[in-house]
Amino acid sequence: MLVRDAMSTVVLTIGPAHTLRQAARLMAARRVGAAVVLDPDTSGLGILTERDVLVSLGAGQDPDLESAAAHTTTDVVFAAPTWTLEEAAGAMAHGDFRHLIVLDAQGPVGVVSVRDIIRCWAPARHRTDRTDRTEATLAG
């Protein structure tokens, strides 16, 4: 299975001047765990995750004063829609992160998360387990 089959095509984009509270509200409303941060001044892409917001809150920072730019990861690993889920999972495990921005020639087209990958893998494994149990019952 490929990244394009698992990714969310709901790509929340925010600017670097958004506050963490604004970003959190938008992520909650869209039910996503990450926002793509587009900085028109640098033509770069970054990512702000729910973990980034939690780290800031845990440090006692004011979410109404903290900007997304101050908490955005800019050293981002991007996935292609044609990557396999194994490639995406490997990149996440190697980089110790849970979201990948998916890019094609036009720009960001999706975000794939660990949860997306698990959702794709779990049903196949569950069907295999159920088939094995059924075959064992029929054979027994």
Side-chain angles (χ1 to χ4, degrees), residues 8 12 21 31 35 43 64-65 84 98 103 110-111 131:
S8 170
L12 172 62
R21 184 176 308 278
R31 299 181 51 86
S43 300
D64 293 313
L65 298 177
T84 65
R98 298 177 300 180
L103 292 181
V111 175
T131 301

Side-chain angles (χ1 to χ4, degrees), residues 6 11-12 37 39 55-57 60 87 113-114 119 127:
V11 181
L12 172 62
V37 182
D39 189 343
V55 166
S56 174
L57 290 175
E87 288 174 303
S113 69
V114 170
R119 284 183 182 149
R127 282 192 305 271

